[in-house]
Amino acid sequence: MKIIHISAECYPIAKVGGLADVVGALPKYQNEIGANSAVIMPFYNTKFTQSHKFTLVYQANLILGNQELNFDILKIEDAVLEFDVFFVHVKDLLYTESVYTDNDTNRFLAFQIAALDWILTLKKKPDYIHCHDHHTGLIPFMAQESYKYESLNKIPVITTIHNAQYQGWMSYDNLYKIPEFNIENVGLLMWDGMINPLAAAIKCAWRVTTVSPSYMEELKYSANGLESLLSHESSKAVGILNGIDSAVWNPETDKFIIKNYKKTTVESGKKANKEWLCSQFNLDKSKPLFAFIGRLVGEKGAELLPHALDYALRSKDIAVIVLGSGAKETEKELFDLILKHKGNYNAFIGYDEKLSHIIYAGADFLLMPSRVEPCGLNQMYSLRYGTVPIVRRIGGLKDTVVDIGDHGFGICHNEVSEQDIVVAINRGKEFYTQQKEFKANRKHIMSIDHSWEVSTKAYINLYNSIN
């Protein structure tokens, strides 16, 4: 079974969010069970591409409207990943320091056309093309409708929606840039008066998946305008929960953390990592340590954190650390709390991969008051490291965390509000005082299996169900 994943992100090559983690892990685990899985992605000007050598695999020109652009297909020379990654190099468009820019319409159109142009030349065509999010949303349409790609229209194309809030909208003026097709079928591209790549993918893909079962159901009533379309196409749609890469996220072997540990040594391991964090960030190690890791944006409920944490910290019986970046006002408000709650609170505005691992290993609780969380990986990382997730019941958080009040192992709340966050923190404080139960829970949550092995089999079963 030959599978080609097409994506804008792939960890550790280029990462903005959870999309990269999925595309960086799923092919590896598919290969482990006998598939031949590879990735096609853009060639960006990043630290990764600057520090590795690449072999030229293919070279040609692509047509983007009235432009003719040269593109290369490159492959990493050294085997740094456990699957093949092929890069589309369009120097004038894709070779940027940022994954996303203000010119993404042309950038990702060129990327998708180049990817399909190259697939056309392969002697051994893929058995399945697996597209990820709107950046690859026109591939299902082009493979089905564009005359140029007629020989590919028997290859099943799967689209996975990682986040339906972003759909790649573009004006009708861009229609001429899409390889020629029967104009009578232009409706497949359109939604609400615009070309909508994600809508086109939902209409034209052979199967549509989302990254958790609950998120699939939520999209039928909250999908940024695509609710009726997803309801209409529900017969070919399924939610498959993401996994985590248990080789990368493993407290026994994690090279980032201060002291490695397993279930039987979790207390000493977490203590060492917590002590390092508290020393580095001037926090009281004797208090329960609450953490937030993520983008400081509305989807994550981040703008509520400054006031909620300010209120929760007044009791002076907790410690809090924040790692993230995003909305400048939220960044400033979180930074301003450092002086106000010196010794009990600190923040790292930005992102640091090593620090994130240490926080998962050292924190007692992880806050995720998300408005939107299609799957969520942070709560799975926290479970793996024996850190209790505090989550809002939404999307994949609802699928992966059961409240301690319901004979579960985490802390859940229903709404996104400052009050809900504070109440959840107070519940965490109370749970922390019950040390016998708290320590038993730590060992239990480290045993919960959210590895990719389970999810990989679900995807393979999905592919097989098409034929």
Side-chain angles (χ1 to χ4, degrees), residues 10-71:
C10 178
Y11 178 81
I13 301 163
K15 175 179 175 176
V16 175
L19 168 62
D21 292 314
V22 173
V23 179
L26 179 56
K28 177 174 76 171
Y29 286 93
Q30 288 178 333
N31 288 345
E32 285 186 1
I33 61 174
N36 176 10
S37 188
V39 171
I40 301 175
M41 67 176 294
F43 189 74
Y44 304 113
N45 181 16
T46 64
K47 290 181 181 179
F48 186 96
T49 56
Q50 292 168 7
S51 59
H52 290 83
K53 294 183 178 179
F54 300 85
T55 301
L56 178 65
V57 174
Y58 180 74
Q59 190 172 52
N61 293 328
L62 66 88
I63 304 299
L64 185 68
N66 54 17
Q67 286 184 283
E68 186 171 348
L69 301 169
N70 175 265
F71 76 91

Side-chain angles (χ1 to χ4, degrees), residues 92-93 100-109 177:
D92 296 334
L93 281 178
Y100 306 117
T101 73
D102 294 333
N103 188 30
D104 282 350
T105 293
N106 285 336
R107 293 176 71 237
F108 289 115
L109 258 173
K177 299 174 184 176

Side-chain angles (χ1 to χ4, degrees), residues 268-282:
S268 62
K270 288 192 72 68
K271 180 182 178 183
N273 285 281
K274 183 177 181 178
E275 286 179 348
W276 183 91
L277 280 172
C278 291
S279 173
Q280 292 292 311
F281 290 92
N282 187 31

Side-chain angles (χ1 to χ4, degrees), residues 70-123:
N70 175 265
F71 76 91
D72 299 332
I73 301 294
L74 307 174
K75 184 180 178 183
I76 307 173
E77 283 188 6
D78 46 343
V80 293
L81 301 174
E82 295 175 55
F83 52 91
D84 288 334
V85 181
F86 299 94
F87 296 83
V88 174
H89 184 27
V90 183
K91 187 175 182 180
D92 296 334
L93 281 178
L94 294 175
Y95 193 63
T96 56
E97 293 180 2
S98 300
V99 173
Y100 306 117
T101 73
D102 294 333
N103 188 30
D104 282 350
T105 293
N106 285 336
R107 293 176 71 237
F108 289 115
L109 258 173
F111 166 58
Q112 293 172 88
I113 292 168
L116 285 179
D117 283 0
W118 178 55
I119 290 173
L120 270 180
T121 70
L122 298 178
K123 290 182 180 179

